[in-house]
Amino acid sequence: MITLFKKRTRMEPLRETVQPEVSHATKNSRLSDFIRSVTTMGSFIILLLVYLIAKSLGRLLRGRFQPFTTVVVNRAVKLFDNSHVGSISRVDLIELSLKNMLAKKTRTFVTIGGMTLGIAAIVFLVSLGYGLQQLVISRVARLEEMKQADVSPQPGAKVVIDDKALNAIREISGVQKTLPLISVVGKVNYQSSISDMAIYGVTTDYLLESAIKPVEGKVFNSNNLVMDTSLMPGVVAGASDVRNPATPGDEIQKVAFSIDPSTWLKVRDNPTITGKILGYTKRTEGTNQGTEVWGGSYIADDGRGKSGITEDGKPLGKWVKATVPLWTQTTCDPTNQGDCEGGHYMVKRDIDNTQTQVVGYVAEISMTTSGATIQNSGHVLGVSTAAGNESSPSATPDPNASINFVTIASISAVPASSDVQTIALADSAIKQAVVNRSVLKVLGINEADAVGKSFTVSFVVVGDLLSDPAKRIESAPATYTIVGVTPDSQTPIIYVPFIDLRSLGVTQYSQSKVVVASQNDLPKIRKQVEAMGFVTRSVADTVAQINSLFGTARIILALLGMVALAVAALGMFNTLTVSLLERTREVGLMKAMGMKSSEVQELFLTESMIMGFVGGLCGILIGFAAGKLVGLILSVFSLIKGVGFVDISYLPFPFLATIILLSLLVGVATGIYPARRATKISALNALRYE
């Protein structure tokens, strides 16, 4: 016993060392066998599909493409036929399976018919889900609207939509356009009948991006966001914004200026963008004093980069001459270098180690200026506060400015009422309007005769749109001409040029439409805009809810169709099992002639996959045709109602590929048991089977 125990003790370490190696090798062998089986089955399925499609096309086209299909099949055989030497070719297995199936035509057709009905039920129900989803989305949103978002200020918040906010949004990567909207109440007078209606001040681009298409006439042509003071001699839209000829270096006015936070501006030795850069400066505590002068032109979103002209017509820009502290642009480490700011700017110091202060010129970019105009003539309407980016002098600026209008006292020096101030529209106002059908109903104007009709309107602007919330402005009555009629017939809405309402002193906007370059960028850009304190809305939200709703509906419809497919699969399984029992002698004969058990298994699997594939194709055709038929029937009623043609059936390609794959999987699943059972049949016993 002691000797036996010692022998077992000596053997245990060997057992512990050898056993894991055997287990690991076994696992690798099983894994490689599984991968080999999957690869073999995949190549066989591809070969089967190529063979069936090529042969079907050859028969449908009556042999005209027979040479082409033969070449395709031969190349597929070379690529995917992995049969070994001495074994039956897979193409021969496929052809033998087809002959066996045709020998029992009735049974084969019944089996394929059951599979067809199951697949057709799934295709029909799911295609209705996809079709209804597309129909609803097409009525709710256009493709262009999926790249748009409406930006509004939060109720009660101090953050407003003004020119500065629009510039900040426009600088977000991926944003193409920012289109502001001004919403006011208009008192419309037509034939001595006065009605209050919603008035929207918009640009032409806003109407086009919103797909507002007139059924009569056209939209007005105006994309201006600021008043063109060149058309208004002696009138200034912004302090000292005069188009009278000037000379570079001329002093405009003494100003107080404040650079926007987190902004670095170039300081030059003369007021041109080609001047030598003395350094960089930024916002300092308090408000700096300087002198506003004319200089070289530059790009600025508010137009200050080209707000003046020389005698020979060359554009001039506004510059501020002032004593400012300097920084040097370089790469630095804020942790180890105390003078480093933001990792890119170092304090520039003099010999006495104090920060350098120089008299230089700074373009009026990303800064707020205010001051008294030094002019011989001209009326000041307000102060410009918007910002832009300095670039080349040849570029054309975006005429988007921030203008704070103040009320001009009357000639008799009697101040206007503190409750409601009356301001006349600018002489350059376009005074054209696009109205909807609801407006025409209220005014009693015939739609066919609406274009060219005129009405009188006065606009009421409340404090939310003005720099002073306590103010309330009502414009003097002005005559507007209808140039277009839109099909909307719910709420009376009138669209007028944005610049017309802007001339009343509006500095804050009701909302803005943001247009992005790519639909995929919209969620990211919306988050950035919302981080600024605004609220965003987009049709994409509605579309997402619709997609989620119909996604759930499609799953339910697919499950209903799977019931029919399960019944068809059971019928197919029963047919193959009965077929095996009837062909027992045939299996024995094939084995006696030298066919391997694996080849017998592939033969039965081939038959089941062919039935599944053909049933899947027929099911797709029947289900799709049934969906189109239902759509055609509904279209008859919709055409009578004047809605137009309705298509409620749609099949995306990924879904079709999934159905084909599902058909093959059902064929494999129902054929595995009969195929394996066929391999276990003894050739000798099978030949004796009656």
Side-chain angles (χ1 to χ4, degrees):
M1 291 289 292
I2 294 174
T3 305
L4 179 60
F5 177 78
K6 289 181 178 179
K7 288 182 180 180
R8 291 182 62 185
T9 304
R10 287 192 219 104
M11 292 176 64
E12 283 176 359
L14 180 62
R15 215 176 275 160
E16 291 176 358
T17 304
V18 174
Q19 185 65 28
E21 294 180 0
V22 173
S23 177
H24 185 67
T26 304
K27 289 181 179 179
N28 287 339
S29 176
R30 290 177 179 176
L31 180 61
S32 60
D33 290 342
F34 175 75
I35 295 175
R36 191 181 302 110
S37 300
V38 172
T39 305
T40 303
M41 179 61 69
S43 61
F44 179 66
I45 290 175
I46 295 175
L47 178 62
L48 176 62
L49 293 178
V50 173
Y51 182 88
L52 293 177
I53 293 173
K55 291 296 184 181
S56 299
L57 288 177
R59 291 183 179 180
L60 289 174
L61 300 176
R62 297 181 180 179
R64 295 180 182 178
F65 291 89
Q66 188 67 32
F68 174 74
T69 56
T70 302
V71 171
V72 171
V73 171
N74 291 336
R75 291 187 177 180
V77 169
K78 292 181 180 180
L79 289 174
F80 304 109
D81 191 355
N82 298 326
S83 56
H84 301 286
V85 178
S87 61
I88 187 172
S89 171
R90 287 185 170 179
V91 175
D92 293 336
L93 280 176
I94 295 173
E95 293 179 348
L96 181 59
S97 299
L98 291 173
K99 291 180 180 178
N100 290 335
M101 293 169 61
L102 292 175
K104 302 287 185 179
K105 293 182 180 180
T106 303
R107 179 184 297 171
T108 301
F109 288 156
V110 170
T111 305
I112 293 177
M115 187 71 178
T116 298
L117 292 178
I119 295 295
I122 296 177
V123 171
F124 173 71
L125 294 174
V126 176
S127 68
L128 291 183
Y130 276 113
L132 290 173
Q133 178 181 353
Q134 275 205 333
L135 180 63
V136 173
I137 291 177
S138 65
R139 299 298 172 92
V140 171
R142 301 173 295 115
L143 180 61
E144 292 80 3
E145 289 179 325
M146 300 298 292
K147 299 188 292 184
Q148 300 175 7
D150 292 328
V151 180
S152 304
Q154 292 187 7
K158 295 183 178 180
V159 180
V160 297
I161 300 178
D162 53 12
D163 291 314
K164 189 174 181 179
L166 292 180
N167 290 334
I169 296 174
R170 192 181 298 113
E171 291 175 359
I172 298 176
S173 177
V175 174
Q176 282 188 330
K177 298 178 183 178
T178 54
L179 306 172
L181 175 144
I182 301 174
S183 176
V184 298
V185 176
K187 296 181 178 179
V188 180
N189 186 340
Y190 182 75
Q191 294 182 349
S192 301
S193 177
I194 300 177
S195 303
D196 290 342
M197 298 184 185
I199 308 291
Y200 293 154
V202 295
T203 61
T204 303
D205 285 345
Y206 189 100
L207 296 177
L208 296 178
E209 293 291 345
S210 302
I212 297 177
K213 298 180 180 179
V215 292
E216 297 287 344
K218 61 181 181 179
V219 299
F220 47 77
N221 185 14
S222 173
N223 284 315
N224 293 332
L225 299 180
V226 294
M227 296 300 297
D228 187 358
T229 55
S230 64
L231 301 176
M232 303 171 61
V235 178
V236 183
S240 67
D241 193 2
V242 179
R243 298 282 181 155
N244 295 333
T247 303
D250 286 353
E251 182 176 332
I252 302 174
Q253 63 177 343
K254 301 296 183 181
V255 294
F257 68 95
S258 177
I259 301 174
D260 294 346
S262 303
T263 300
W264 293 87
L265 298 180
K266 299 174 183 177
V267 182
R268 301 182 183 272
D269 62 352
N270 62 73
T272 63
I273 62 172
T274 58
K276 179 181 177 181
I277 298 176
L278 303 177
Y280 292 80
T281 190
K282 66 169 187 174
R283 181 190 184 100
T284 57
E285 293 184 3
T287 303
N288 298 325
Q289 303 294 324
T291 303
E292 190 175 45
V293 298
W294 291 114
S297 62
Y298 53 88
I299 290 181
D301 289 337
D302 61 353
R304 283 187 281 182
K306 291 186 179 181
S307 55
I309 57 173
T310 62
E311 291 184 357
D312 55 356
K314 293 182 179 179
L316 293 175
K318 294 179 182 178
W319 296 72
V320 173
K321 180 181 179 181
T323 302
V324 294
L326 291 185
W327 281 261
T328 303
Q329 188 179 42
T330 183
T331 302
C332 55
D333 185 2
T335 305
N336 301 322
Q337 297 173 285
D339 286 346
C340 178
E341 297 191 25
H344 297 285
Y345 296 92
M346 286 285 293
V347 175
K348 191 172 184 179
R349 297 188 179 276
D350 292 331
I351 299 176
D352 58 356
N353 203 33
T354 59
Q355 186 170 10
T356 302
Q357 303 272 343
V358 299
V359 177
Y361 296 87
V362 181
E364 291 189 12
I365 295 173
S366 298
M367 70 166 62
T368 301
T369 60
S370 61
T373 306
I374 303 175
Q375 300 286 343
N376 294 326
S377 63
H379 301 280
V380 180
L381 298 183
V383 179
S384 176
T385 59
N389 292 320
E390 178 181 339
S391 183
S392 63
S394 60
T396 302
D398 182 2
N400 190 1
S402 176
I403 307 172
N404 297 321
F405 291 81
V406 297
T407 305
I408 304 173
S410 63
I411 298 177
S412 60
V414 178
S417 172
S418 59
D419 295 330
V420 180
Q421 299 173 349
T422 302
I423 297 179
L425 292 177
D427 294 337
S428 59
I430 299 174
K431 298 181 181 179
Q432 294 180 348
V434 175
V435 303
N436 61 8
R437 286 173 173 168
S438 182
V439 172
L440 299 182
K441 291 181 181 178
V442 173
L443 300 181
I445 300 176
N446 186 11
E447 181 178 327
D449 303 328
V451 177
K453 295 285 185 179
S454 299
F455 58 87
T456 303
V457 61
S458 58
F459 308 108
V460 179
V461 183
V462 296
D464 292 341
L465 303 177
L466 304 172
S467 57
D468 185 0
K471 289 184 179 180
R472 186 169 181 262
I473 293 176
E474 182 173 345
S475 68
T479 301
Y480 271 72
T481 303
I482 299 175
V483 296
V485 179
T486 64
D488 183 22
S489 58
Q490 295 181 352
T491 304
I493 295 177
I494 300 176
Y495 299 96
V496 299
F498 178 88
I499 196 61
D500 289 13
L501 297 183
R502 180 71 187 269
S503 67
L504 297 176
V506 174
T507 59
Q508 300 170 11
Y509 314 129
S510 306
Q511 69 177 45
S512 175
K513 185 182 294 293
V514 175
V515 182
V516 303
S518 173
Q519 179 180 341
N520 298 328
D521 296 335
L522 184 60
K524 178 185 67 175
I525 293 174
R526 289 182 63 185
K527 289 182 180 179
Q528 291 180 269
V529 174
E530 290 171 355
M532 298 179 181
F534 299 109
V535 178
T536 64
R537 295 183 300 274
S538 176
V539 177
D541 298 334
T542 305
V543 173
Q545 294 177 355
I546 293 173
N547 289 334
S548 177
L549 174 63
F550 279 98
T552 304
R554 284 198 305 272
I555 293 175
I556 296 175
L557 293 175
L559 291 176
L560 294 176
M562 289 294 291
V563 175
L565 181 61
V567 174
L570 290 175
M572 186 172 173
F573 174 79
N574 179 66
T575 300
L576 293 173
T577 304
V578 172
S579 175
L580 173 63
L581 296 176
E582 292 180 352
R583 296 164 59 185
T584 302
R585 287 178 59 83
E586 179 184 338
V587 171
L589 180 60
M590 287 188 293
K591 285 189 174 183
M593 295 175 62
M595 182 176 284
K596 301 176 183 178
S597 297
S598 60
E599 294 171 346
V600 174
Q601 180 178 352
E602 288 183 353
L603 177 64
F604 279 87
L605 280 176
T606 301
E607 293 181 12
S608 64
M609 284 191 293
I610 290 175
M611 290 182 183
F613 177 71
V614 175
L617 284 181
C618 295
I620 290 174
L621 295 175
I622 294 177
F624 183 72
K628 292 298 181 182
L629 180 61
V630 172
L632 185 61
I633 295 173
L634 293 178
S635 296
V636 174
F637 296 98
S638 64
L639 289 173
I640 295 175
K641 297 291 184 179
V643 179
F645 183 78
V646 176
D647 187 6
I648 61 170
S649 178
Y650 172 71
L651 289 177
F653 179 77
F655 176 69
L656 292 177
T658 303
I659 290 297
I660 294 296
L661 181 61
L662 178 64
S663 303
L664 290 172
L665 290 178
V666 171
V668 172
T670 55
I672 286 178
Y673 176 76
R676 286 188 176 181
R677 187 172 176 180
T679 61
K680 298 178 182 179
I681 295 177
S682 171
L684 183 59
N685 293 334
L687 291 175
R688 289 191 235 170
Y689 183 79
E690 294 294 340

